[in-house]
Amino acid sequence: WILLKLLFRNKPKLRVMGLFGCTHKTVAMGVPLINAIYEDNPNVGLYTLPLLVWHPMQLFIGTFLAPKLAGFVEKEQERLTSAKQGDKEEEQRRSTIKE
């Protein structure tokens, strides 16, 4: 989350997308990788079990986080919009003073 803040400082939607996108790659990448490494091993099902348990847990936790993250995005966008308006007003004030 901190790294995403550094990469997408003024883009809260991308930060939230990164949070969900980065964590949900586990099953998509992990299961084929485990199958490729342990394809002849009869315990391959046991090796994938933690990933298969983790994925529904991610969905469950994400369901509770989604409204909070949506609120975060709204607040950040309001903050950024007001900051931009303040910058424009300051710029107009400075140009008026120069004239």
Side-chain angles (χ1 to χ4, degrees), residues 5-32:
K5 183 177 182 177
L6 294 173
L7 294 173
F8 305 113
R9 172 167 243 114
N10 296 329
K11 298 179 181 179
K13 286 183 180 180
L14 286 177
R15 287 170 58 190
V16 171
M17 181 277 312
L19 177 69
F20 278 99
C22 291
T23 59
H24 282 76
K25 292 287 183 194
T26 308
V27 172
M29 293 297 293
V31 171

